[in-house]
Amino acid sequence: MTYSVAIAGASGYAGSEVLRLLLDHPAYASGELAIGALTAASNAGRSVGEILPHLAPLADRVIQETTPENLAGHDAVFLGLPHGHSAEIAAALGEGPDAPAILDCGADFRLSDPAEWRRYYGTEHAGSWTYGIPELPGGREAIASSRRVAVPGCFPTGGTIACLPATAAGLVEPQWSIVSVTGTSGAGKKAAVPMLGSEVMGNLRAYNTAGRHRHTAEFLQNLGGAGELSVSFTPVLAPTSRGILTVATAPLADPATTTAAARAAYAEHYAGEPFVQLLAEGLQPQTKSVVGSNMVQLQVEVDERAGRLLVTSAIDNLVKGTAGAAVQCMNLMLGLDETAGLPRAGLAP
C-alpha cells in the first residue's frame, strides 16, 4: 500500500520542514509514501526550486493554491497555515471514512477550553483535536487512534517534557517559572520589522511577558492535573535561526529531595522514549546539539540553597517543536514505525 500526503503551506517554515523530513523517510524511499499536493497562498504557481532551493529532489514541483479540492484524496494532510485558517479547510475536507487524516501545525485545535481560546486568540473556539505530544501519558495511543491531531506549540513541547515528570510525581509545588530562549524561525516566514536582521543581531529581548504569550494556555492544559497549577512563562528572542533552550524551576515539595532522586524520577518516566534524552549529570543541554534532530535533551538538578528543582531542555523548534512532531504523529496515525524519518543526531557544530 502507498500512502499519499499533502502539505498546505508548503512554502512556509513548518511546511518546508515537513517536506525535508519526508524526503528522508524510509517509506518515501521504498515507494510506500508519496508526496502529493504542495499548496500555498502567495507562492501558488511557483516552483519548489524557486522558493525552497534546499529541497532539491522536489525542485520541479509546482506549488498549487490551497483549496480543499487540491488537498482532498490524500491519506494525510499537513496544515502549515497561519492561526485561524485551518478550521475552514478541515471542515471542507470532512471527517468520513474517505477523508484524510489531518495534522494541524497551527493553533486552531490545540486548546480544549473555549474560554482559554478566547482569552488568548480573541475569536470563537473551533473545537479541540487530539493533542500531538506522544510522550504525554496516553498520548501515543490517543494519536494512533485519531484522524485529527493538533501539533503542539514549540514552547510547550520542550517545556512540557521538562516539567511533566516532576509534576506527575509530586516532586514540586505546582508553581512553575519557565523561561525559553528561542530563535527567529519560531515567528514564521512572514515579513515583520522586529524580525529584521538589524533588529535581531546582537540583541536579546523578552516579549509577550507576564502571562501574555499564547502558549501559556498550553502549559496550563498539559500540566494541569496537579491541583492549583500556576505557570509563569517568559519567552526571549535570541539572534539565531533555530532552537529553543528552556529553563524551568519550581519549589520542591520536599526540601530534602536530592538531585539523584529527581534524576531517577525523570529516568523512570522517560524510559524507552526514543526522542527524550536525560543527559549525564553535569552536562547542560545546548541547542547546537539538537538542531536538525527530533530530540529533546534534558538536565535535572536540585538547587539546594533555593529549595527548587531546575530542569533545562533543548529542542529544535522546527523539528521536535513543529514538523518533526507532526511526522512523528503521522507515523503513529498511519501505522508506521513512530521513529521513521526522524533524525536523532543533531548537526553540531
Side-chain angles (χ1 to χ4, degrees):
M1 177 177 180
T2 297
Y3 295 104
S4 64
V5 299
I7 295 90
S11 62
Y13 288 147
S16 63
E17 191 71 353
V18 168
L19 283 173
R20 183 182 74 84
L21 296 171
L22 292 179
L23 287 171
D24 283 332
H25 199 292
Y28 179 75
S30 69
E32 297 171 87
L33 187 149
I35 297 175
L38 309 179
T39 78
S42 60
N43 285 310
R46 302 177 69 185
S47 72
V48 170
E50 280 184 84
I51 54 179
L52 303 169
H54 65 294
L55 300 178
L58 300 173
D60 295 333
R61 293 285 300 274
V62 175
I63 303 289
Q64 300 174 267
E65 185 180 354
T66 298
T67 65
E69 292 75 20
N70 286 333
L71 297 173
H74 296 83
D75 295 293
V77 174
F78 294 90
L79 300 180
L81 305 174
H83 301 327
H85 289 72
S86 297
E88 183 178 351
I89 291 289
L93 290 173
E95 297 189 44
D98 297 326
I102 302 179
L103 301 108
D104 183 19
C105 295
D108 289 26
F109 299 99
R110 291 174 185 163
L111 299 183
S112 58
D113 186 340
E116 284 288 89
W117 173 268
R118 288 191 293 270
R119 173 175 180 169
Y120 284 97
Y121 293 90
T123 59
E124 284 305 305
H125 189 230
S128 61
W129 290 356
T130 301
Y131 195 76
I133 295 184
E135 294 82 5
L136 286 174
R140 187 167 279 109
E141 295 75 19
I143 293 164
S145 63
S146 179
R147 299 288 291 170
R148 299 286 186 272
V149 166
V151 179
C154 51
F155 290 125
T157 297
T160 296
I161 289 174
C163 299
L164 183 63
T167 304
L171 292 179
V172 296
E173 301 293 341
Q175 301 163 14
W176 284 103
S177 174
I178 302 172
V179 177
S180 295
V181 182
T182 183
T184 58
S185 59
K189 209 171 184 178
K190 63 184 181 298
V193 170
M195 297 295 114
L196 292 174
S198 56
E199 301 290 333
V200 174
M201 288 187 297
N203 189 40
L204 291 169
R205 176 173 60 85
Y207 65 100
N208 286 342
T209 54
R212 287 189 292 271
H213 196 283
R214 292 169 169 177
H215 288 176
T216 301
E218 286 181 66
F219 281 118
L220 291 167
Q221 177 174 281
N222 297 347
L223 301 171
E228 293 298 319
L229 175 74
S230 70
V231 172
S232 175
F233 172 53
T234 305
V236 178
L237 184 67
T240 184
S241 60
R242 287 181 184 244
I244 296 176
L245 184 72
T246 294
V247 180
T249 70
L252 291 168
D254 178 0
T257 301
T258 64
T259 292
R263 287 177 55 82
Y266 273 71
E268 179 181 1
H269 189 100
Y270 288 127
E273 284 294 347
F275 298 117
V276 181
Q277 180 187 12
L278 178 61
L279 297 179
E281 192 168 353
L283 294 180
Q284 284 296 328
Q286 51 186 353
T287 55
K288 75 173 185 178
S289 297
V290 296
V291 164
S293 84
N294 201 52
M295 294 300 296
V296 183
Q297 290 190 336
L298 296 174
Q299 186 54 271
V300 181
E301 307 167 80
V302 167
D303 184 337
E304 294 180 2
R305 188 167 187 178
R308 298 182 73 88
L309 183 74
L310 187 150
V311 187
T312 310
S313 73
I315 66 169
D316 183 328
N317 59 294
L318 291 180
V319 188
K320 184 57 173 170
T322 309
V327 172
Q328 188 176 350
C329 291
M330 179 204 74
N331 288 337
L332 289 166
M333 296 166 78
L334 297 182
L336 303 173
D337 178 356
E338 180 182 343
T339 66
L342 296 170
R344 298 182 69 219
L347 298 176

